[in-house]
Amino acid sequence: MIILGIESSCDETAAAVLADQHTILSSVVSTQVAVHHKYGGVVPELASRMHIEAIAPVVSEAVEQAGITLDDIEAVAVTRGPGLVGALLVGFSFAKAFAWARNLPWTGVNHLEGHIYSILLSEDPPAFPFAALVASGGHTNIYHVASHDDFELMGQTRDDAAGEAFDKVAKMLGLGYPGGAVVEKLASQGDPTRVKFPRTYLDKDGFDFSFSGLKSAVSRFIHLNKDNLEEMIPHIAAGFQAAVMDVLSFKLIHAAEARGCKSIAMAGGVSANSALAVRVAADASKRGIRLYLPPKDLCGDNAAMIAARGHRLIQEGNLCQLDQDVFSRTRFL
Amino acid sequence: MKQTVITRAGEETRELGEKLGRLIQGGIAISLTGDLGAGKTTFVQGLAKGLGVPDSFYVTSPTYTIINEYPGRVDLCHMDLYRLGSSDELDYIGFDEIVDSDRVIIIEWPGIIEPGQINFDLDIILAIDEQFNRKISFIASGLEAAKVLRNLFV
């Protein structure tokens, strides 16, 4: 079943074509393609949220790159939530109209379940059950994934998301915004033991996260060390990253052990951080647990993962109807 | 009308937010200004509690999501415009519809909003002093907000 996937929950407008649940024919993300040229290519933050301008060219590009025509598409999957309602509506309405006009089955996908499916799109996916961390600028969630359709939300952040903490620390250090990737690069040049920042575990038996205390501690350290800040920046970045890694690694492995899983996985933008992947893989292997990651280009928001999850839902008969709507937030998955 | 108070810990900031939330009886627009790490999310966590948002809803930073909505005695809409480039972008997030709704709307980084797009009833400013205490200022416009503010500091 050739399926078209569409994603527009936050900043990216994305479309992808999958030949089945695992075979990606194309995956197009607006900020990575020439769609920007229309706007001069200089205002990515602005253009990125112009889903309504980007949606048709992005879908066309995905169909073209897949080497198919519109007539070959047999089903449509689209992100239904959580996300920004105004952004979600663009992709959702487009998918709804496209499917209705062509009389195709279509379904709405939970964005976070999509991220979990990005792990299943790797060449060497984990077997069920596994514990998965979905960490990005907007989310830091741990799931127990028992089967293709059984996701238990075990914990989530109570304030800032992990990716957001990276970006905000970059901003405080004068490294621009968003600067999570810059922090990772600088951290590799610093000594992670030079500045010791607090690790917030909350309840050590629980799986919730809190990163706002760490952010405040970095802010305070910067205020108190204004005189030699320049030379301290790599050490601050390294100390901060070490604090985040300690907590993420501990909670993810703890979650796997609490549910008797021998596999863990990470997805979302933060899982592209190679230092984190190396660290978590090392911690896990000491306990006989193996870490799995999505293909690197599917860590951030994309439509291939939405199509993969949608493919499964449609196969199971979980279709959407014309009167269904998007949702901004869910308490539970 | 302006009032200022010092809080010495995150918990005090949260309690102040909660007290404000308990005094609010209907739709109100609030601007929330302060540097990264000043305690804006902490303040809104307290506000949500005072507005009767159930504990099962975690009040998290809206920096990425831009809009976080919560049900309560009065519904709460928490926004962060930090990542928006200009007032044009407000159209893309449906800003006008949000402003028209009868909820508590609290907006972080409101700088890009053009005059006339929203009238804030209450401006709250969080500043960090040399001892890392938080100096929190409240400026009320209009009778309703002034009444809330008077009750906050009785």
Side-chain angles (χ1 to χ4, degrees), chain A residues 55-138:
Chain A
I55 184 87
V58 166
V59 169
S60 297
E61 183 74 17
V63 168
E64 193 177 309
Q65 283 186 19
I68 61 163
T69 70
L70 288 180
D71 292 335
D72 297 319
I73 295 168
E74 296 166 280
V76 182
V78 60
T79 307
R80 193 173 175 192
L84 195 56
V85 165
L88 286 163
L89 273 172
V90 173
F92 198 74
S93 305
F94 186 97
K96 194 186 263 192
F98 184 91
W100 185 66
R102 293 180 163 265
N103 199 23
L104 299 174
W106 68 288
T107 195
V109 172
N110 180 310
H111 179 79
L112 295 155
E113 294 179 5
H115 273 297
I116 292 168
Y117 265 63
S118 73
I119 299 157
L120 304 177
L121 283 169
S122 79
E123 282 182 17
D124 174 27
F128 299 109
F130 59 90
L133 170 72
V134 178
S136 64

Side-chain angles (χ1 to χ4, degrees), chain A residues 213-276:
Chain A
L214 173 59
K215 181 180 72 184
S216 299
V218 174
S219 164
R220 180 180 289 230
F221 187 88
I222 292 169
H223 278 286
L224 292 173
N225 292 272
K226 281 196 176 108
D227 298 341
N228 61 340
L229 191 61
E230 204 58 39
E231 59 171 290
M232 287 305 287
I233 283 178
H235 304 307
I236 297 170
F240 160 78
Q241 181 173 267
V244 175
M245 292 196 304
D246 277 357
V247 177
L248 291 179
S249 183
F250 175 85
K251 295 262 179 191
L252 178 56
I253 292 168
H254 187 43
E257 292 183 334
R259 292 292 183 277
C261 300
K262 284 289 163 201
S263 304
I264 54 172
M266 298 196 295
V270 173
S271 65
N273 180 317
S274 6
L276 174 67

Side-chain angles (χ1 to χ4, degrees), chain A:
Chain A
M1 179 172 70
I2 293 185
I3 186 166
L4 170 69
I6 293 173
E7 150 70 31
S8 68
S9 65
C10 194
D11 292 354
E12 307 283 10
T13 311
V17 177
L18 267 63
D20 55 50
Q21 206 169 301
H22 307 285
T23 313
I24 301 171
L25 298 180
S26 67
S27 177
V28 176
V29 178
S30 60
T31 49
Q32 296 164 3
V33 295
V35 176
H36 270 303
H37 291 228
K38 274 172 65 187
Y39 314 105
V42 287
V43 278
E45 263 304 278
L46 177 64
S48 68
R49 264 189 294 275
M50 287 185 169
H51 300 285
I52 203 152
E53 313 256 354
I55 184 87
V58 166
V59 169
S60 297
E61 183 74 17
V63 168
E64 193 177 309
Q65 283 186 19
I68 61 163
T69 70
L70 288 180
D71 292 335
D72 297 319
I73 295 168
E74 296 166 280
V76 182
V78 60
T79 307
R80 193 173 175 192
L84 195 56
V85 165
L88 286 163
L89 273 172
V90 173
F92 198 74
S93 305
F94 186 97
K96 194 186 263 192
F98 184 91
W100 185 66
R102 293 180 163 265
N103 199 23
L104 299 174
W106 68 288
T107 195
V109 172
N110 180 310
H111 179 79
L112 295 155
E113 294 179 5
H115 273 297
I116 292 168
Y117 265 63
S118 73
I119 299 157
L120 304 177
L121 283 169
S122 79
E123 282 182 17
D124 174 27
F128 299 109
F130 59 90
L133 170 72
V134 178
S136 64
H139 306 279
T140 308
N141 295 1
I142 289 186
Y143 297 93
H144 172 227
V145 184
S147 76
H148 274 107
D149 304 296
D150 186 359
F151 317 95
E152 177 205 356
L153 178 60
M154 297 178 69
Q156 56 190 313
T157 184
R158 293 191 188 174
D159 38 55
D160 293 357
E164 175 180 0
F166 271 90
D167 285 335
K168 288 188 171 171
V169 164
K171 177 72 183 172
M172 292 190 281
L173 290 171
L175 305 171
Y177 186 95
V182 184
V183 170
E184 183 192 355
K185 193 162 168 254
L186 279 169
S188 69
Q189 299 155 20
D191 174 359
T193 60
R194 183 89 173 262
V195 191
K196 184 90 174 164
F197 290 117
R199 275 78 172 147
T200 307
Y201 290 97
L202 300 170
D203 171 7
K204 263 211 169 190
D205 287 324
F207 304 99
D208 280 350
F209 297 97
S210 169
F211 293 107
S212 74
L214 173 59
K215 181 180 72 184
S216 299
V218 174
S219 164
R220 180 180 289 230
F221 187 88
I222 292 169
H223 278 286
L224 292 173
N225 292 272
K226 281 196 176 108
D227 298 341
N228 61 340
L229 191 61
E230 204 58 39
E231 59 171 290
M232 287 305 287
I233 283 178
H235 304 307
I236 297 170
F240 160 78
Q241 181 173 267
V244 175
M245 292 196 304
D246 277 357
V247 177
L248 291 179
S249 183
F250 175 85
K251 295 262 179 191
L252 178 56
I253 292 168
H254 187 43
E257 292 183 334
R259 292 292 183 277
C261 300
K262 284 289 163 201
S263 304
I264 54 172
M266 298 196 295
V270 173
S271 65
N273 180 317
S274 6
L276 174 67
V278 168
R279 166 64 195 280
V280 174
D283 288 353
S285 76
K286 282 180 208 152
R287 308 182 77 100
I289 292 172
R290 190 175 153 200
L291 171 69
Y292 293 83
L293 295 169
K296 203 133 194 169
D297 55 341
L298 299 185
C299 288
D301 288 350
N302 66 86
M305 66 187 196
I306 301 302
R309 176 67 185 136
H311 192 283
R312 167 75 184 177
L313 287 170
I314 289 170
Q315 262 186 340
E316 297 293 301
N318 283 313
L319 303 181
C320 265
Q321 303 305 322
L322 282 182
D323 60 353
Q324 280 174 312
D325 203 355
V326 299
F327 59 87
S328 60
R329 280 177 81 112
T330 38
R331 275 166 62 200
F332 305 106
L333 205 71

